[in-house]
Structure formats: structure tokens, C-alpha cells
Amino acid sequence: MSELEPIEYETGTAIRDYDIIQITQTENGYEVLLDVNLDSGYSLARTKLDITHEDLQGYETNEIEEGIKYALGFFS
């Protein structure tokens, strides 16, 4: 869709849950491979999430698992 005009979308469905498949440390942070289940009944398989060290600082944690929760919108 990058060749097309930008389209404004309303916010979609919420994430029901997720499974961490693999976490790889990179130069700038972490690359996380996830399976994500959506409230709509659909799922996203082997989805890549990049989290930087700065992201973790912003979430006030050093634990990547906590950073993943915050990045996906799971706040307590």
C-alpha cells in the first residue's frame, strides 16, 4: 500500500493475547517475534516487534518482557 495515497483509518480491534516466540538482542535493543491473537478472532503469526533501549527506558523497565507488554498496550 506504500504506493497509494495515505488513508486515515479508525482504531482497529484490541489484542486479546500474545505468545513470545523468540527474543533476539540487537545493537539498538531487541527484535521480538510474536504470535498475536486479536479480539476480532483473527491472528497475526510470526509478527516482528522492534523495541529499542530508549523504549525500555521510557517504560521505566530493564526487562524486555515488561517492555513488550507496554508496547502492546497492556498497562496495569
Side-chain angles (χ1 to χ4, degrees), residues 51-71:
I51 298 182
T52 66
H53 296 297
E54 290 80 20
D55 293 333
L56 290 178
Q57 287 176 345
Y59 298 138
E60 298 180 355
T61 185
N62 292 324
E63 296 182 28
I64 183 59
E65 290 84 0
E66 285 293 310
I68 293 167
K69 284 177 27 181
Y70 292 137

Side-chain angles (χ1 to χ4, degrees), residues 24-37:
T24 306
Q25 191 163 8
T26 65
E27 185 176 312
N28 297 322
Y30 296 89
E31 182 178 282
V32 183
L33 199 58
L34 304 163
D35 283 342
V36 180
N37 296 310

Side-chain angles (χ1 to χ4, degrees), residues 43-54:
S43 63
L44 303 171
R46 304 189 64 80
T47 303
K48 185 177 101 170
L49 172 66
D50 291 320
I51 298 182
T52 66
H53 296 297
E54 290 80 20

Side-chain angles (χ1 to χ4, degrees), residues 9-35:
Y9 291 101
E10 291 184 28
T11 302
T13 188
I15 296 173
R16 183 181 321 144
D17 59 26
Y18 61 92
D19 293 316
I20 300 171
I21 299 169
Q22 182 179 9
I23 299 172
T24 306
Q25 191 163 8
T26 65
E27 185 176 312
N28 297 322
Y30 296 89
E31 182 178 282
V32 183
L33 199 58
L34 304 163
D35 283 342

